[in-house]
């Protein structure tokens, strides 16, 4: 018998027709994502790392034995319904770009050649002042930033028509822009639009994409740490348009490990003197992050995690003034196969010191690709369920989760997962799981 006590599920439209996934940037992450989906569709690979494809969800009591797959529990688009499009500052199609990125083996990429060659990037909105280490010629021209947004809206409309898409979502997988802070131009839509018409520097290219998406009825996810949609003007626009948005910065590699280990240390009341993290990577992302201004955006995103998880204000004896340093070094021989070292100085009973060393030989794009898939499918679900504005339940996927103003972000991966699964239970009118469990002993 079901242990449902919440009778009403939220009304969700069925995912009929094709779902277009528009990717800003057709680099390592995007091509690994597209190639992966095509390989899975052909039955030559498994969707490892994707919660929507491999995850299950417990419903009701532990004794109920109800654990469906997430994809069978909520109405998600299927992989066969996905169509891909992209913008990039380089003309290379997804096949050429995947070979260039060098993440996937040439043999695998060649097996997917036809599908990948079909994805040809549209001209980008780009300004080198925001990504100093890159320069490309496949770029739109216009009199002002509002005009550029209109061109992007035309692209979205064309893409939707040509590919006969019922719905579209957009995911930013382009390079990290320089560090920007919100100004008065970002506070409301009127000022934002005026700043676009005035070509102000406060409007970064990523914001133009986000604006174009929201104006075109398209949910938006931000995979990089740029400000982008995390400003009051665009968060409000998303709300008003009934569109879900989420960001920022895919949580992969070192930060993923950090948000797995730090909650464990804290839960056992073990103290921290310092956490030193360094990385070597040699892909284009690494090259872009070699520029101090792009690195600053990334650094801010990576640094905030420990403060929020460890709560030094609440636990001063354990966490006051711990030292936290993050370095990224561009080292071409490594390509996408990053190496991340962590040295963690902790202390335990009576203040006795201990150390933890992590050496994570990871593959950035292999970790990021399933996140792109999950975000695209969940954003599409959220829209069909009438969820609008910032989607905090998708914090699970981000280093710097967007939250409502004045609300601190939740970084603990396990709390994030519980939040995500409880949101799905809520959508379907299932009992939320608190893990209290006293009823088993009554
Ligand atoms: N791989 C990961 O684990 C991971 C984790 C978190 C965040 N990210 C972020 O995801 C993004 C993509 O990473 P990647 O490894 O694929 O990088 P990449 O350099 O291989 O690809 C980025 C692509 O974006 C293009 N681009 C740059 N500015 C653009 C613009 N304005 N419009 C259209 N295209 C533009 C570049 O030409 C490039 O092809 C980066 O910002 C990275 O910091 C990646």
């Amino acid at each position: 018998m079901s242990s449902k006590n919440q009778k009403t599920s939220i009304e969700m439209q069925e995912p009929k027709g094709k779902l277009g996934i528009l990717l800003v940037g057709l680099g390592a992450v995007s091509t690994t994502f597209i190639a992966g989906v095509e390989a899975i569709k052909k039955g030559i690979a498994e969707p490892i790392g994707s919660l929507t494809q491999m995850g299950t969800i417990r419903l009701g009591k532990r004794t109920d034995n109800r654990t469906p797959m997430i994809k069978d529990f909520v109405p998600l688009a299927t992989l066969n319904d996905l169509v891909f499009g992209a913008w990039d500052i380089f003309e290379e199609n997804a096949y050429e770009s995947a070979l260039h990125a060098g993440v996937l083996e040439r043999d695998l990429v060649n097996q997917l050649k036809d599908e990948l060659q079909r994805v040809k990037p549209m001209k980008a909105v780009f300004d080198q002042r925001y990504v100093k280490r890159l320069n490309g010629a496949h770029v739109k021209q216009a009199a002002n930033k509002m005009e550029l947004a209109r061109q992007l809206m035309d692209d979205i409309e064309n893409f939707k028509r040509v590919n006969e898409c019922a719905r579209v979502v957009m995911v930013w997988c382009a390079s990290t822009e320089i560090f920007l802070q919100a100004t008065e131009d970002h506070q409301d839509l009127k000022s934002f639009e005026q700043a676009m018409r005035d070509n102000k520097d406060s409007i970064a290219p990523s914001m133009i994409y986000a604006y174009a998406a929201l104006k075109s009825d398209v949910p938006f996810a931000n995979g990089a740490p740029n400000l982008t949609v995390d400003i009051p003007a665009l968060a409000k626009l998303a709300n008003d348009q009934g569109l879900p948005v989420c960001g920022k910065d895919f949580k992969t590699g070192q930060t993923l490990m950090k948000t797995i280990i730090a909650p464990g240390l804290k839960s056992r009341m073990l103290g921290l003197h310092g956490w030193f993290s360094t990385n070597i990577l040699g892909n284009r992302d690494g090259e872009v992050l070699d520029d101090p201004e792009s690195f600053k955006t990334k650094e801010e995103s990576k640094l905030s995690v420990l403060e929020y998880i460890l709560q030094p204000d609440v636990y001063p004896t354990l966490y006051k003034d711990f030292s936290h340093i993050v370095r990224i070094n561009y080292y071409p021989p490594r390509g996408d196969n990053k190496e991340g070292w962590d040295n963690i100085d902790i202390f335990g009973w009576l203040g006795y010191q201990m150390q933890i060393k992590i050496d994570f030989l990871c593959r950035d794009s292999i970790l990021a690709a399933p996140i792109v898939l999950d975000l695209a499918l969940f954003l599409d679900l959220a829209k069909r369920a009438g969820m609008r504005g910032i989607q905090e339940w998708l914090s699970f996927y981000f280093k710097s989760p967007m939250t409502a103003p004045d609300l601190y972000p939740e970084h603990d991966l396990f709390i994030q997962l519980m939040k995500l699964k409880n949101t799905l239970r809520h959508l379907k009118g299932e009992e939320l799981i608190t893990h209290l469990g006293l009823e088993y002993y009554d």
Side-chain angles (χ1 to χ4, degrees), residues 327-340:
R327 295 277 178 269
I328 299 181
N329 293 292
Y330 176 53
Y331 178 60
R334 275 305 164 90
D336 199 64
N337 297 352
K338 181 166 93 175
E339 182 158 3

Side-chain angles (χ1 to χ4, degrees), residues 28-29 88 125 173-176 209 223 249-250 252 284-285 298 364:
V29 171
D88 206 288
V125 170
C173 296
S175 312
T176 301
Y209 284 97
D249 205 7
F250 301 135
T252 58
R284 195 185 278 154
D285 186 31
K298 199 58 144 186
D364 260 1

Side-chain angles (χ1 to χ4, degrees), residues 32 50 168 170 224 244 414 428:
T32 307
S50 161
V168 175
M170 192 187 293
F414 306 101
K428 292 285 288 182

